[in-house]
Amino acid sequence: MTLTDVGSAASGGGAVESHSARRRPPRRRLAVTIIPWLFLLPALLLFLVFKYVPMAEGIRLSLFEVRPFLGDLWVGLDNYARVLGDERFHNALNNTLILAIGQTAGAMLIGFGLALLLEGTARSLWFVRSAVFLPVVAATAVVGEIWRLLYYPAEGGFLNSLLSWVGLGPSTFLDHPDTSLWSVMAVGIWKGAPYDMVILLAGLAGIDRQLYESAAIDGCTTWQRIRYITLPALRPAITILLTLASIRGLRVFTEVYVLTGGGPAGSTDVWMTRVFSLGFETSELGVASAGSVVLFLVTLLLTLGVQLLRRRREA
């Protein structure tokens, strides 16, 4: 049977199926429409109760001065004006962007290197991949506590001991404003790189090996094969990683809070630690809600921008 025959048969089958669908009784058509939604109903209820209702409540609170037991006071957009005019929020936004860009770029570069090293069909590689992936499944709070010990700012600290072997250090790492943000960034890269590696490994598995063989016959170097074959083929995976990493970078909180709590002197204060401080330490829930809504809008716009850019390049 030729491809034309297969196509004809397929289109004929579709016509028969379409014809039979039109002949279904109304009750059966109604059941076909409703049953999938019944299966989705538990998940939709969970999303509604634990995600969308709190989100709507946060947007409502952002328009009020929250006064527990006294009744909320309508303030309109004043909370948003405070957020946009607050110097500490500006500093937090600057730190958040530096951290997001650094962690995204660092994790993708290291993840790409790991993916190239661990790509293959050998059975022994699954153990190495699992070991490399462990930081992703470990709880962020636990990872933060471990790195606090590694960053111990004295000569007896683990990392300072390693630095002393090459005649460097000791470094204060998290305890100095000049080094604290970079130390937090290193932890984020360490935790995010294995996740990026898995996505890139999936992309590498879909590349036709004959392309590499043809390039090798033509005398292409390793860098030329990566540049002209690997990177273009990984573009969809890289787009997904950029979107996820950007969202992850803008919403970073746990590792910063565990490692430094936003200090010293606000040098690692990011947007979410500032929101947390306002909401749960100074009880300014209205301003904290406004800060959360602003972050949500920035994240949404960034995600839409990446998707539009991707579709424009693919068109």
Side-chain angles (χ1 to χ4, degrees):
M1 183 181 290
T2 64
L3 289 176
T4 309
D5 298 333
V6 173
S8 308
S11 62
V16 171
E17 187 178 347
S18 173
H19 183 63
S20 63
R22 284 198 300 270
R23 294 180 57 187
R24 280 178 186 156
R27 183 178 297 178
R28 180 161 177 79
R29 276 185 290 174
L30 184 64
V32 169
T33 305
I34 289 179
I35 286 176
W37 287 103
L38 290 177
F39 280 106
L40 290 173
L41 187 60
L44 291 176
L45 285 175
L46 288 175
F47 271 105
L48 180 67
V49 173
F50 293 106
K51 202 171 186 69
Y52 297 119
V53 170
M55 190 182 297
E57 180 66 8
I59 295 173
R60 188 190 71 81
L61 289 178
S62 69
L63 302 173
F64 287 85
E65 179 187 348
V66 180
R67 302 183 305 174
F69 309 111
L70 296 175
D72 299 339
L73 185 65
W74 169 265
V75 294
L77 298 178
D78 286 357
N79 289 332
Y80 291 93
R82 279 193 58 186
V83 169
L84 297 177
D86 188 358
E87 190 65 31
R88 293 188 65 180
F89 261 113
H90 295 168
N91 178 57
L93 175 62
N94 185 50
N95 291 336
T96 303
L97 291 177
I98 292 174
L99 211 53
I101 294 171
Q103 287 184 351
T104 300
M108 286 187 67
L109 285 174
I110 295 178
F112 182 64
L114 289 172
L116 291 178
L117 286 173
L118 300 179
E119 194 262 342
T121 56
R123 288 187 177 182
S124 57
L125 285 177
W126 74 267
F127 177 78
V128 182
R129 290 174 190 157
S130 302
V132 172
F133 193 69
L134 276 180
V136 179
V137 298
T140 307
V142 175
V143 169
E145 286 297 334
I146 292 173
W147 275 93
R148 272 171 56 85
L149 297 175
L150 297 177
Y151 277 142
Y152 188 70
E155 293 183 0
F158 178 78
L159 290 180
N160 275 324
S161 298
L162 294 181
L163 289 176
S164 67
W165 294 351
V166 292
L168 299 176
S171 173
T172 50
F173 294 115
L174 301 171
D175 290 353
H176 195 281
D178 291 341
T179 56
S180 55
L181 190 63
W182 307 109
S183 301
V184 173
M185 187 185 296
V187 177
I189 293 172
W190 178 81
K191 186 170 174 55
Y195 181 84
D196 293 359
M197 176 200 73
V198 172
I199 303 290
L200 293 172
L201 273 174
L204 288 174
I207 300 176
D208 189 353
R209 299 291 164 192
Q210 292 182 355
L211 295 175
Y212 291 115
E213 294 171 4
S214 302
I217 293 172
D218 291 340
C220 291
T221 62
T222 302
W223 167 244
Q224 287 174 325
R225 277 178 270 175
I226 291 175
R227 181 180 177 185
Y228 295 110
I229 298 175
T230 307
L231 290 178
L234 288 178
R235 190 175 297 164
I238 292 174
T239 304
I240 294 172
L241 281 180
L242 276 177
T243 306
L244 295 177
S246 302
I247 296 172
R248 186 174 62 204
L250 291 176
R251 295 171 56 190
V252 63
F253 172 72
T254 308
E255 53 262 49
V256 176
Y257 188 76
V258 172
L259 286 168
T260 63
S267 59
T268 60
D269 201 13
V270 293
W271 195 273
M272 284 305 299
T273 55
R274 183 72 187 131
V275 167
F276 180 85
S277 174
L278 285 172
F280 297 99
E281 293 177 4
T282 61
S283 299
E284 296 184 80
L285 288 175
V287 184
S289 299
S292 300
V293 173
V294 170
L295 179 62
F296 168 72
L297 292 176
V298 171
T299 306
L300 181 64
L301 290 175
L302 182 65
T303 305
L304 291 176
V306 172
Q307 292 302 319
L308 286 175
L309 187 64
R310 180 181 65 83
R311 290 182 182 179
R312 183 173 297 178
R313 286 186 176 179
E314 291 178 353

